[in-house]
Amino acid sequence: EQFIVYLNILKQLQNDAKKNEIMIDFVFFPDVFYLKDKSYNQRWQPFIEAAKTEGIIINDAWEYIIENKDSNNMTWSLTDRHPNCKAHEIMANYIVEKIL
């Protein structure tokens, strides 16, 4: 159900952007808590594929993050699982290199 809601939101954003002549790109920022095993973030792959069938391209930064990570856990701390500064830097570089 959540995937359907997310897809509908992305479709609406994409349609609004197109109608207003705004370029829009969607990027998946993977969970950086456990970067040892690809299967940890695989649960989002069906969503990314479903979006593609709806004409929505979601750029997946997983491989780029894996190639550029400096540890297997790139969160702030064990109690704060938000991405740390290095993870944000890698994601920013992904956007600059792959999207822009």
Side-chain angles (χ1 to χ4, degrees):
E1 289 180 20
Q2 288 177 348
F3 280 177
I4 293 169
V5 170
Y6 293 153
L7 275 177
N8 288 333
I9 291 168
L10 292 180
K11 276 193 259 184
Q12 185 65 48
L13 288 170
Q14 185 168 285
N15 290 338
D16 287 349
K18 186 175 184 177
K19 181 172 63 175
N20 292 295
E21 300 179 10
I22 299 169
M23 290 177 45
I24 191 166
D25 288 294
F26 300 109
V27 181
F28 173 58
F29 194 148
D31 189 343
V32 294
F33 173 68
Y34 188 74
L35 296 173
K36 289 181 184 178
D37 183 345
K38 186 173 184 163
S39 65
Y40 188 73
N41 269 292
Q42 286 292 68
R43 67 182 175 264
W44 283 98
Q45 289 307 311
F47 175 74
I48 292 171
E49 291 302 315
K52 197 180 298 182
T53 65
E54 296 290 329
I56 300 166
I57 303 301
I58 300 174
N59 298 280
D60 186 355
W62 174 260
E63 293 298 331
Y64 189 87
I65 288 176
I66 292 300
E67 292 168 6
N68 294 282
K69 68 181 179 158
D70 62 1
S71 74
N72 288 324
N73 180 353
M74 295 185 68
T75 58
W76 277 106
S77 68
L78 294 176
T79 58
D80 183 350
R81 290 189 175 183
H82 288 93
N84 64 21
C85 291
K86 181 64 179 176
H88 282 293
E89 178 184 350
I90 292 169
M91 191 63 172
N93 289 336
Y94 172 80
I95 292 168
V96 168
E97 291 177 26
K98 306 293 184 181
I99 309 292
L100 302 176

